[in-house]
């Protein structure tokens, strides 16, 4: 088919036309990537652009450029020319494939440095670190030793008068409360929409859980951890079985509500994909 096109249209038309079409599909591909979150069908246009780009290359430059080697080099030097050209071609493919993940990921990382004050033993802090890492958001972590009272120092109190963690500092902007920090990061950075959906009803479901989370999942999971692990370690006393059983009953009630109110027959708390609600919940329950 390529030979037929060359004979009918000529090499000049195929090369110029092919590269023009490839440029057009690159522009279309860029636009579809920029607006891929605006509608569910836009990502399919991105795939169409990719296949159209490949087809344009195959019908134009892909076939014509291979023939040029036979005309540019004499018979004795053609094997070496083909070998060098092929090696350069495949090495280019290799380097592009190795660099592509970094090319894709880096634009989603802002140059602003996020400084988060946290101890890794704290569940909301772990949720925050998981979110930052999973979404390749550049950040710097400063750990705070709660047992040594570093959260009560004048420097930390100036950041957060409540003397609690986590605290986020971003270009002079200070924000406290893990729920607020996570939601701010979804708005300030290009992260997948499923974390905190833009669709009003889906977002409301996430807000519904995060409002319920603090006095239920977090409270009752923390009671079990404090009663069974933290208090015995700090005091050297055995576990208070009565308090532990009461805490476990409260946690069982919370888990029942998680299944009946939120999970139901879904894979995740607020729908078919992971959200901030799931991240906050799992960090509490896995403790």
């Amino acid at each position: 088919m390529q030979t037929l096109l060359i004979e009918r249209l000529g090499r000049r038309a195929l090369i110029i036309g092919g590269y023009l079409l490839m440029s057009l599909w690159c522009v279309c591909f860029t636009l579809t990537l920029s607006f891929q979150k605006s509608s569910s069908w836009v990502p399919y246009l991105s795939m169409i652009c990719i296949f159209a780009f490949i087809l344009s290359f195959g019908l134009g430059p892909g076939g014509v450029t291979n023939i040029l080697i036979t005309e540019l080099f004499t018979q004795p030097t053609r094997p070496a020319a083909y070998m060098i050209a092929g090696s350069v071609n495949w090495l280019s493919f290799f380097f592009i494939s190795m660099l592509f993940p970094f090319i894709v990921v880096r634009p989603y990382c802002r140059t602003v440095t996020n400084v988060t004050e946290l101890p890794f033993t704290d569940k909301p802090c772990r949720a925050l670190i998981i979110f930052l890492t999973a979404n390749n958001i550049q950040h710097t972590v400063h750990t705070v030793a709660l047992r040594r009272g570093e959260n009560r120092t004048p420097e930390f109190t100036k950041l957060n008068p409540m003397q609690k963690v986590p605290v986020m500092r971003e270009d002079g902007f200070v924000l406290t409360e893990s729920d607020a920090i996570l939601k701010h990061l979804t708005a300030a950075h290009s992260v997948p929409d499923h974390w905190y959906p833009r669709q009003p009803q889906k977002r409301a479901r996430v807000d519904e859980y995060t409002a319920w989370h603090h006095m239920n999942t977090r409270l009752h999971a923390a009671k079990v951890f404090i009663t069974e692990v933290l208090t015995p370690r700090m005091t050297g006393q055995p576990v208070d079985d009565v308090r532990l059983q009461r805490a476990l009953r409260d946690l069982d009630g919370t888990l029942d509500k998680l299944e009946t109110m939120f999970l139901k027959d879904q894979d995740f708390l607020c729908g078919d994909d992971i959200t901030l609600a799931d991240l906050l919940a799992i960090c509490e329950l896995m403790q």
Side-chain angles (χ1 to χ4, degrees), residues 115-118 128 156 159-160 164-169 174-177 181:
V115 181
T116 308
E117 310 277 352
L118 50 85
L128 181 55
F156 190 87
L159 286 175
N160 185 3
K164 293 183 178 181
V165 291
V167 177
M168 186 199 75
R169 291 184 293 175
V174 179
L175 189 63
T176 64
E177 297 297 330
I181 293 172

Side-chain angles (χ1 to χ4, degrees), residues 161-196:
M162 300 298 292
Q163 299 180 336
K164 293 183 178 181
V165 291
V167 177
M168 186 199 75
R169 291 184 293 175
E170 187 179 64
D171 285 351
F173 173 66
V174 179
L175 189 63
T176 64
E177 297 297 330
S178 57
D179 183 28
I181 293 172
L182 287 167
K183 290 175 180 177
H184 164 74
L185 290 173
T186 62
H189 297 267
S190 297
V191 302
D193 186 65
H194 63 78
W195 287 109
Y196 193 45

Side-chain angles (χ1 to χ4, degrees), residues 218-256:
R218 176 158 173 72
L219 175 64
H220 296 141
K223 281 183 179 179
V224 173
F225 177 72
I226 292 171
T227 305
E228 188 173 16
V229 179
L230 195 59
T231 300
R233 285 190 179 183
M234 294 180 66
T235 62
Q237 300 296 319
V239 176
D240 187 332
D241 290 331
V242 175
R243 293 184 62 185
L244 178 59
Q245 292 304 316
R246 185 164 59 246
L248 287 172
R249 284 196 299 270
D250 291 340
L251 181 59
D252 285 340
T254 297
L255 294 177
D256 287 338

Side-chain angles (χ1 to χ4, degrees), residues 20 122 162 196 202:
L20 286 176
D122 187 72
M162 300 298 292
Y196 193 45
K202 292 182 179 180

